[in-house]
Amino acid sequence: MAESQSVVDRATTRKREGWVTGTLVLFCLASMVVTIAAGLVQVSFGEYSMTFRQAWTAVFNPAVIFDLDAWSSFLFGTERPEMSTESVVVWNLRLPRVFVAIITGATLSVSGAVFQAVTRNELASPFVLGVSSGAGFAVLATLVVFSGLTPFLPLIAALGGTVAFAIVYTIAWKGGTSPVRLVLAGVIVNMVFQSLQQGLFFFADDLGVVQTAIAWITGSFTGTGWEEVRIAVLPAAVSIAIALAGARQLNVLMLGENTARSLGMRVERVRFFLSAVAILAASAAIAVAGVVSFFGLVVPHIVRNTVGGDYRRLMVGCVFAGPALMVTADVGARLALGGTQMPVGVVTGLIGGPYFLYLMRKQQSMGEL
């Protein structure tokens, strides 16, 4: 009882002090600047040769920005109005890639932060828990075998991710879960679904489909356009909005099950609802960008170390930091090897893998099997 009263007192103090801090505001503003700068660099390169001035002029062209018909063609697929060549190249081919990267970065970051709270495991992320592989298998099966269901990719990915997460939780459950069991179960489920993904290649009789699938498995924004934006934007917006609204519940979950119950929370119901939100967020990203490894693990830690552990600040920080880091990673993947575009998932894997090992070694106790 004393512990519960102490928790309530701390929560009341935090509420009185307010959660919007100068550090959070500066962090979000800095992230916005990085996103815009990286986005401008991204639209300046491509097969169609343009100077930086021409590309940036096309981005801020008021004839496009304030044209409702243009936005209707972008967002709803209607007929595109007349535009200059530079505007067509920038707005139809290059900017959609930036927008898809923004959506992917925000959703994966938010998903990782939610999973770390509901499992109380700082090693959790959609990739580590097998959600990415499960959703990836579902999407890949749709692309290779059931191509007519492409408009429903986010829902199909969410179904695959849900099945994978349920399997992980079932394997890890032993009168409760522990960080080490969740990680090991995630590794097992990852291996199974990755094997199934590779097996699907035998059913593909089109070389173009195989090449698309390989690029998709490694996580890539190459070839993304407004169609991918239209597919992902609604589930991304819904999942992020719900996750932001559930920040208080995530704070309570981080206090532990007993404390959360003593405060009146229905722990399992809240945990599984927020897990479903995290799966939807990750699925929206996977449906359009493929499997971008470790991103949902790294970004929440960067934000947490900067703005603090309060999930009201953490979730807002992830919404801004995720796009900044994803667009920057995509610029690096596109320009690092000159004319050869590297999948962005390779970049995030090279950074996220060592960081994952660092976190494992940093923990004094991973829990018992």
Side-chain angles (χ1 to χ4, degrees):
M1 188 69 182
E3 180 186 0
S4 300
Q5 185 61 44
S6 175
V7 169
V8 172
D9 291 341
R10 289 199 302 270
T12 303
T13 301
R14 284 199 304 267
K15 184 176 181 181
R16 189 184 304 117
E17 292 175 351
W19 60 272
V20 179
T21 63
T23 302
L24 176 63
V25 173
L26 289 175
F27 181 79
C28 293
L29 289 175
S31 298
M32 286 181 61
V33 171
V34 172
T35 303
I36 294 171
L40 289 174
V41 172
Q42 184 70 280
V43 301
S44 302
F45 293 90
E47 293 183 5
Y48 183 84
S49 180
M50 279 191 289
T51 64
F52 283 98
R53 181 187 179 91
Q54 287 175 319
W56 297 357
T57 300
V59 170
F60 298 107
N61 185 1
V64 177
I65 294 175
F66 299 108
D67 188 344
L68 295 180
D69 291 335
W71 283 105
S72 177
S73 70
F74 298 151
L75 299 178
F76 303 107
T78 59
E79 185 177 355
R80 189 185 70 234
E82 290 292 328
M83 298 181 188
S84 64
T85 303
E86 288 80 7
S87 294
V88 170
V89 170
V90 168
W91 281 90
N92 259 34
L93 301 178
R94 298 182 184 177
L95 268 180
R97 177 171 179 155
V98 176
F99 291 143
V100 172
I102 289 172
I103 293 171
T104 302
T107 50
L108 287 179
S109 302
V110 167
S111 177
V114 173
F115 275 129
Q116 289 170 14
V118 298
T119 62
R120 296 190 67 213
N121 179 4
E122 67 175 15
L123 300 178
S125 75
F127 184 78
V128 174
L129 293 177
V131 172
S132 294
S133 294
F137 170 72
V139 172
L140 191 59
T142 303
L143 294 174
V144 174
V145 184
F146 308 106
S147 56
L149 298 177
T150 302
F152 305 101
L153 279 182
L155 294 177
I156 294 170
L159 179 61
T162 301
V163 171
F165 185 65
I167 294 173
V168 168
Y169 224 82
T170 301
I171 295 173
W173 186 265
K174 187 180 177 183
T177 62
S178 72
V180 67
R181 287 207 304 273
L182 282 169
V183 170
L184 291 176
V187 170
I188 294 169
V189 172
N190 260 320
M191 293 175 63
V192 171
F193 277 108
Q194 285 175 6
S195 297
L196 291 173
Q197 288 174 12
Q198 294 170 4
L200 283 174
F201 287 118
F202 290 99
F203 296 94
D205 53 5
D206 186 345
L207 181 60
V209 172
V210 173
Q211 291 175 335
T212 301
I214 291 174
W216 182 88
I217 284 177
T218 54
S220 176
F221 298 117
T222 302
T224 53
W226 285 108
E227 182 181 357
E228 284 73 22
V229 175
R230 291 191 289 268
I231 288 173
V233 67
L234 183 58
V238 170
S239 58
I240 289 174
I242 296 175
L244 289 172
R248 291 179 182 274
Q249 284 71 30
L250 292 170
N251 275 333
V252 176
L253 282 175
M254 289 297 292
L255 299 174
E257 289 189 17
N258 293 333
T259 303
R261 286 196 178 95
S262 69
L263 294 174
M265 174 181 283
R266 297 181 177 180
V267 174
E268 293 304 325
R269 180 178 297 183
V270 172
R271 175 179 287 158
F272 280 102
F273 174 73
L274 291 174
S275 295
V277 172
I279 291 170
L280 178 62
S283 299
I286 293 166
V288 295
V291 181
V292 183
S293 57
F294 291 112
F295 194 82
L297 170 72
V298 174
V299 177
H301 282 280
I302 294 174
V303 178
R304 187 179 289 110
N305 291 335
T306 306
V307 304
D310 188 327
Y311 260 78
R312 292 172 296 179
R313 291 194 291 266
L314 179 62
M315 299 302 286
V316 173
C318 284
V319 171
F320 285 89
L325 294 174
M326 184 64 80
V327 176
T328 302
D330 189 37
V331 171
R334 186 175 185 179
L335 303 180
L337 299 180
T340 303
Q341 294 194 36
M342 186 167 48
V344 69
V346 174
V347 176
T348 60
L350 289 173
I351 297 173
Y355 193 77
F356 178 70
L357 294 175
Y358 161 74
L359 290 176
M360 289 185 66
R361 293 184 63 85
K362 179 182 174 184
Q363 284 194 334
Q364 294 182 352
S365 174
M366 288 283 291
E368 297 179 354
L369 284 172

